[in-house]
Amino acid sequence: MKNLFFGLTLILTALSISAQETQSVDIDKQTMRQALAYGDNSIAANSIYRIIAKEGATSTYKDSLAYIYFNSRRYSSCFLVCTDILSRDGSKQEILEMQAVSLESLGVLDKAAQAYAKLVVKSNNNYHAYKLANIYFALKKHKEALNAIARAESLTDSG
């Protein structure tokens, strides 16, 4: 009887903790939405960090965190979050683009060129090819810049 009571108590405690965690994540999501509605990116980022901590390393909210940092022009933080996301899923074109722009904005042109080169292959977007050419030109890699311009001219203009 004592073991049955102990087992039942353990199960009820586990269910209670699980319900509290679910409620807590929901509160963090509400806080994040409210902060974004009011334009308070720092509170939104804090809420997203709590959500990521509760959901684990595969949380989809890392993308949202990258967008918040990018829109706030916090390029070093954006780059770090994008790198983490791309290490798990390298197919996210928007994240790769934010990473490339962040690197370019930070002045790390050699790494930005690598990111834009990957992006051109994935997107087939002439704008990305022209950006790559511009970076190569700034790095005084004229042959690579000319090749990137030729690639850009071969791609259809997507507007």
Side-chain angles (χ1 to χ4, degrees):
M1 183 72 168
K2 194 175 192 179
N3 288 338
L4 179 65
F5 179 72
F6 179 72
L8 188 58
T9 303
L10 185 63
I11 290 171
L12 288 175
T13 303
L15 289 174
S16 173
I17 290 171
S18 175
Q20 287 175 354
E21 286 180 15
T22 302
Q23 262 185 339
S24 180
V25 170
D26 289 340
I27 290 171
D28 288 330
K29 289 178 181 178
Q30 283 178 319
T31 303
M32 177 201 63
R33 283 191 286 274
Q34 193 68 46
L36 289 173
Y38 292 152
D40 192 342
N41 289 341
S42 62
I43 296 297
N46 287 334
S47 297
I48 291 173
Y49 274 115
R50 286 194 301 273
I51 294 168
I52 292 169
K54 292 170 186 168
E55 289 184 348
T58 59
S59 176
T60 58
Y61 280 85
K62 286 184 180 181
D63 292 20
S64 300
L65 186 61
Y67 279 106
I68 285 175
Y69 283 144
F70 186 79
N71 291 332
S72 300
R73 293 188 168 112
R74 294 180 59 192
Y75 296 117
S76 58
S77 297
C78 181
F79 166 73
L80 293 170
V81 174
C82 289
T83 300
D84 186 33
I85 294 167
L86 292 170
S87 71
R88 294 184 196 329
D89 181 6
S91 67
K92 295 187 173 190
Q93 191 172 312
E94 297 86 6
I95 301 298
L96 184 57
E97 184 172 11
M98 282 193 292
Q99 183 186 47
V101 171
S102 294
L103 286 167
E104 182 182 10
S105 298
L106 291 169
V108 188
L109 297 182
D110 53 337
K111 297 282 185 188
Q114 292 173 6
Y116 273 113
K118 289 179 192 174
L119 189 58
V120 169
V121 170
K122 287 185 186 283
S123 71
N124 282 323
N125 186 322
N126 66 342
Y127 174 76
H128 297 142
Y130 281 121
K131 290 292 286 181
L132 178 60
N134 187 38
I135 291 171
Y136 279 143
F137 187 76
L139 291 170
K140 298 188 185 336
K141 294 183 177 182
H142 300 271
K143 183 178 179 183
E144 289 88 346
L146 186 60
N147 290 340
I149 290 171
R151 169 74 190 229
E153 289 176 346
S154 72
L155 297 172
T156 58
D157 187 4
S158 58

